[in-house]
Amino acid sequence: MIARGLRGSGPGSINPLLLIGLLLLLYGWVTGGLVAPIQRAAQDPIAFVGFVIAILLGITVHEFMHAYTATRLGDDTARLLGRLSLNPMAHLDPFGTLLIVLAGFGYGKPVPFNESRLRSALGVSAVALAGPFANLVLAFVCAIPLRFGNADLLDGAYGVVLQEIVFYNCILAIFNLIPIPPLDGSKVLFAFLNPRTVWQVRPVLEQYGLVILLGAMLLPIFGGSTLADIVFGNLLNPLFRLLTGL
């Protein structure tokens, strides 16, 4: 559904929604709202390597668990399309990856599944929540050496990489739970709304969701704060401290 919303009107055409999204990213960068991880590469190469590892691991595990959960619940669409894989190239979304590189948050290629083939009534929510939950588990596991002080190997490089993995997997988990398409939180929200409401609002949100999301994340529309300020400021740092003790 999101792919249809981002498609241009003809061969070689520029999609207006994608253009708006890129302009919002440019606005965030010009106003200083974005601190791209790639900008820190020269000053802190170890942290940048940790960032790359964190994103590849995080997106791969996240999307794999979507595919695995859907398969276990009776729908093998993702498996047939090659998404039941731990190969990162099967899961990287071009715009979602660009968003991660430029802004430090983003998403992988959505895993397709057939809702009608899922055996459980809560199957859609289970599939949607599997990805963020996998990121939290990965963050928890990598936080154990940091919490218990065993991360001083390799002159501290090991600890820096672990911190990046924990930090960015917390971001992926929190960010993907925002209830705006194409993020996982929207599928959880739709599962708890009545069918008539879903039928009315889902097509619109799935078509314009990415632009709405970027606008909310980059524009100060919540009493002078962006959605990023609210979500990450109130959830990310406390969660990171809880896991690592840092």
Side-chain angles (χ1 to χ4, degrees):
M1 186 70 75
I2 188 66
R4 185 173 69 243
L6 295 178
R7 188 177 300 140
S9 58
S13 62
I14 299 176
N15 187 298
L17 296 180
L18 186 57
L19 180 60
I20 293 172
L22 293 173
L23 289 175
L24 285 169
L25 285 177
L26 178 62
Y27 167 84
W29 182 78
V30 170
T31 58
L34 299 182
V35 181
I38 198 170
Q39 292 177 336
R40 304 198 310 265
Q43 293 82 4
D44 195 346
I46 294 176
F48 180 71
V49 170
F51 162 74
V52 173
I53 294 173
I55 293 305
L56 290 178
L57 274 176
I59 288 181
T60 300
V61 171
H62 181 107
E63 302 300 341
F64 170 82
M65 284 306 299
H66 283 319
Y68 176 79
T69 304
T71 301
R72 292 287 294 177
L73 290 177
D75 177 37
D76 60 354
T77 302
R79 181 183 64 81
L80 294 174
L81 293 175
R83 302 300 303 279
L84 193 63
S85 169
L86 290 173
N87 179 0
M89 298 309 297
H91 304 298
L92 294 179
D93 178 88
F95 192 83
T97 304
L98 176 65
L99 190 61
I100 292 172
V101 172
L102 293 179
F105 56 83
Y107 56 90
K109 187 188 304 180
V111 170
F113 62 93
N114 188 336
E115 299 178 13
S116 64
R117 299 183 63 185
L118 299 177
R119 287 193 291 265
S120 170
L122 296 176
V124 174
S125 296
V127 173
L129 292 173
F133 180 74
N135 289 127
L136 288 177
V137 171
L138 182 58
F140 173 78
V141 171
C142 291
I144 292 175
L146 298 170
R147 165 68 74 170
F148 294 102
N150 296 320
D152 295 327
L153 300 177
L154 303 177
D155 294 328
Y158 176 57
V160 171
V161 171
L162 285 179
Q163 286 184 50
E164 294 292 303
I165 294 174
V166 174
F167 183 76
Y168 282 102
N169 274 274
C170 287
I171 286 181
L172 287 171
I174 294 171
F175 179 71
N176 276 282
L177 287 175
I178 296 174
I180 302 175
L183 302 181
D184 300 321
S186 64
K187 297 181 177 64
V188 178
L189 175 65
F190 293 151
F192 288 95
L193 295 177
N194 67 72
R196 180 178 177 83
T197 302
V198 173
W199 181 80
Q200 291 175 334
V201 304
R202 183 171 181 172
V204 176
L205 287 178
E206 289 187 333
Q207 183 173 8
Y208 298 103
L210 186 58
V211 173
I212 295 172
L213 177 65
L214 286 175
M217 296 296 288
L218 300 176
L219 301 177
I221 55 179
F222 297 95
S225 299
T226 66
L227 182 61
D229 295 331
I230 296 171
V231 171
F232 295 135
N234 294 320
L235 296 177
L236 177 59
N237 290 333
L239 178 59
F240 182 80
R241 288 195 298 269
L242 175 66
L243 292 175
T244 64
L246 299 177

